[in-house]
Amino acid sequence: MSIVESLMSGAKADASVLDALNSHGDDFSIARDVDFVFLAKNLKKAEEFQQFINNNHYGVARLDSSDVDFRVLVKINMSINQPVILSISAFMVCLGILFDVEYDGWGCPVNRPGKTQ
């Protein structure tokens, strides 16, 4: 898949997540921890990616390994207004391609008006 195709696919998936959150009454302007998930083929790739994220302060990256894959979870506290989350998610798509790790999307808790995280 080309970078443009990856970005278009990601934007469509991101819009679906936003639609689901909106259906639960989410206030996108409330900042919350957003998790961006990456899967690496081996420990070395996962560690390099984790270090890059942390060293450049793009978020707080944590490495989780299992028997099958190496997962890097990048946490960023932010609002999820559509232009913001789509831009950050697109950036994550590009980083995944650059580092040859699979970007597996993002997730966050629902935040409603009057509810704090």
Side-chain angles (χ1 to χ4, degrees):
M1 185 180 305
S2 74
I3 292 175
V4 172
E5 290 170 331
S6 295
L7 290 169
M8 290 171 50
S9 173
K12 185 175 180 180
D14 294 342
S16 294
V17 174
L18 289 173
D19 286 344
L21 290 168
N22 188 50
S23 73
H24 292 314
D26 196 308
D27 180 348
F28 296 160
S29 67
I30 299 172
R32 81 284 312 270
D33 286 341
V34 180
D35 297 324
F36 298 88
V37 179
F38 296 85
L39 304 172
K41 297 173 187 161
N42 59 57
L43 181 59
K44 182 179 179 189
K45 282 191 182 292
E47 288 175 337
E48 287 173 351
F49 183 69
Q50 175 195 17
Q51 289 173 352
F52 179 82
I53 294 293
N54 289 335
N55 289 345
N56 290 288
H57 308 284
Y58 287 134
V60 177
R62 186 182 82 232
L63 175 64
D64 293 327
S65 59
S66 69
D67 295 337
V68 179
D69 59 15
F70 299 92
R71 188 178 121 170
V72 178
L73 182 67
V74 178
K75 190 174 296 274
I76 301 174
N77 189 275
M78 59 185 283
S79 71
I80 59 165
N81 289 317
Q82 189 168 9
V84 174
I85 191 65
L86 268 63
S87 297
I88 299 299
S89 183
F91 179 64
M92 296 298 177
V93 166
C94 293
L95 286 177
I97 291 167
L98 287 171
F99 280 84
D100 192 26
V101 294
E102 178 187 345
Y103 174 53
D104 200 33
W106 60 274
C108 66
V110 173
N111 275 336
R112 293 179 191 93
K115 176 185 169 229
T116 57
Q117 192 172 343

